[in-house]
Amino acid sequence: MSDRRRVSIHFIPAPSVRLCAPIVAIVAACALAACGSDGVSVPTGLSGNNSGGNVTPTDPPSPPTAKTTGTITTVGKVATDLGGAISSLPVPGASSGVTGGVGSTVGALGPVIDSTADALSDGLGQIGTTANPVGTTVAKLGTPVSATSGVIAGVAKTVDALGTGPLSPLAPVTTPVAGALYTAANGVQAGGMILGNRLASSPVQQVTQPVSNAITPLVITLGQTTQAVGTTSGLGQPVSGVLAQVGNALQGAGTTVGSSSKEPLVGDSGQLASVLGTTITNAGGLVNPNGPNGAAPIPGLITSLAGSTNTSVAAGSAGSGGAGSPLASLTGPLSGVTSGASGGTNPLSALTGALTSVTGALSSAPAAGAGSGAAGVGSLLGNGLPVLGKLQ
């Protein structure tokens, strides 16, 4: 064995070593992943007799609690909880490993979705506060790719379980296929790590920097322009107040739905309604610089929609409709709207009632400087939205 090793090394020319360096790096990364250094591992006992039971991969970690809960991160939580629900379902004629594998496959989508949300929020969601937002988003795309390995590992677990129990005659086929899928999962995991390093390298960042330099002033100027229009016309605070009323009512309805059942998926549906309400409220920052999401309205909406484990949405310099504001009667009853949603039998009654009362307030109380414009908007909304009140 030692003679063979010396001969093989002796006849490898130096140029070949340089050409194979990238391949060696990939093989080394795959080898590290195969040792179980980061989640997915290649289990032993797949090539040959598989009668000893199910082979279970290392499940992907649960996504961390987001500092900003958005629509995308909520969908990720839905995927994780749905995977857990599927894992507990019995399937006649199949071992529990089959449903466990399917559940692992679905649940592993959660980290993929969450890491994608982080890439959006930490980069494009920070336009104006970071030098290269496009480069930051691009550099983080390797993480979702790497997290996809958990999905492939879940498929491998499912295939391997098909060769156990009553379906054990399928083991000669399922065992090698499962082994190949586990190997592919490790390769994808290592490949995502390598991709992330490449995307974060200086050459790639030098390409993305001019793009960031071009879009940053456009995004910031657009947000400032819409806020200036809202302030100058006097419609900024009324519109922001309407959106806050609707958003808070939707949050209250989501809380009611989420607390009505101990089932995780029911709670997720309520949370999805709540985060949509938050996003509607944050949309007011587009026309009201002093309201929620008033500091950076367009990047804030990206973060609000996506969600993030690292960043939050910045409010304006003051709350919309504070004490002494002509809109205090409009924005003050938000807590009452939310509590009404919790106590009513219909979770949407608070939302439809808020729409009716808010549009009526807009029609009768135009903001300072609004002139006939605010009354016109109030009349338009007042003529259209009260129809929703009939849904109660």
Side-chain angles (χ1 to χ4, degrees):
M1 293 296 292
S2 59
D3 291 337
R4 292 179 182 176
R5 191 175 296 109
R6 285 197 297 271
V7 170
S8 61
I9 295 175
H10 176 74
F11 285 102
I12 296 178
S16 298
V17 173
R18 288 194 298 269
L19 291 174
C20 293
I23 300 177
V24 172
I26 295 176
V27 172
C30 292
L32 289 175
C35 293
S37 62
D38 189 22
V40 179
S41 61
V42 178
T44 58
L46 282 175
S47 57
N49 185 11
N50 191 36
S51 60
N54 300 330
V55 180
T56 305
T58 302
D59 291 331
S62 300
T65 302
K67 293 182 179 178
T68 299
T69 303
T71 303
I72 295 180
T73 56
T74 303
V75 172
K77 188 175 186 301
V78 170
T80 300
D81 292 339
L82 180 60
I86 293 175
S87 298
S88 61
L89 293 176
V91 176
S95 65
S96 60
V98 175
T99 54
V102 175
S104 295
T105 303
V106 176
L109 291 172
V112 178
I113 296 171
D114 284 342
S115 56
T116 303
D118 278 342
L120 290 172
S121 298
D122 295 352
L124 297 178
Q126 298 301 304
I127 293 176
T129 60
T130 185
N132 188 2
V134 175
T136 301
T137 291
V138 170
K140 289 179 174 288
L141 293 180
T143 303
V145 174
S146 184
T148 307
S149 61
V151 179
I152 301 175
V155 176
K157 179 181 177 181
T158 305
V159 172
D160 186 60
L162 288 174
T164 62
L167 301 177
S168 57
L170 297 176
V173 176
T174 58
T175 297
V177 172
L181 288 171
Y182 278 119
T183 302
N186 285 317
V188 169
Q189 185 182 57
M193 297 167 62
I194 295 172
L195 176 64
N197 291 332
R198 293 291 184 267
L199 294 177
S201 63
S202 295
V204 176
Q205 295 299 299
Q206 290 174 0
V207 173
T208 57
Q209 185 65 67
V211 181
S212 294
N213 294 341
I215 69 170
T216 295
L218 292 176
V219 171
I220 298 303
T221 302
L222 180 59
Q224 292 174 343
T225 300
T226 57
Q227 288 180 341
V229 171
T231 301
T232 303
S233 66
L235 295 176
Q237 286 191 354
V239 172
S240 178
V242 170
L243 294 174
Q245 286 274 8
V246 175
N248 278 272
L250 191 56
Q251 289 176 27
T255 301
T256 301
V257 172
S259 61
S260 64
S261 174
K262 294 183 179 181
E263 292 295 329
L265 291 176
V266 177
D268 292 342
S269 64
Q271 184 176 352
L272 183 59
S274 295
V275 298
L276 288 175
T278 302
T279 301
I280 291 173
T281 299
N282 288 335
L286 290 170
V287 292
N288 183 15
N290 296 323
N293 189 33
I298 297 178
L301 277 180
I302 295 175
T303 302
S304 184
L305 283 170
S308 175
T309 61
N310 305 312
T311 59
S312 58
V313 178
S317 58
S320 59
S325 167
L327 293 174
S329 61
L330 177 65
T331 57
L334 297 182
S335 58
V337 172
T338 304
S339 62
S342 301
T345 57
N346 181 4
L348 295 179
S349 61
L351 174 60
T352 56
L355 288 173
T356 303
S357 61
V358 168
T359 52
L362 275 178
S363 300
S364 59
S372 61
V377 172
S379 176
L380 175 61
L381 295 176
N383 290 335
L385 293 180
V387 176
L388 296 177
K390 298 179 181 179
L391 298 177
Q392 299 183 44

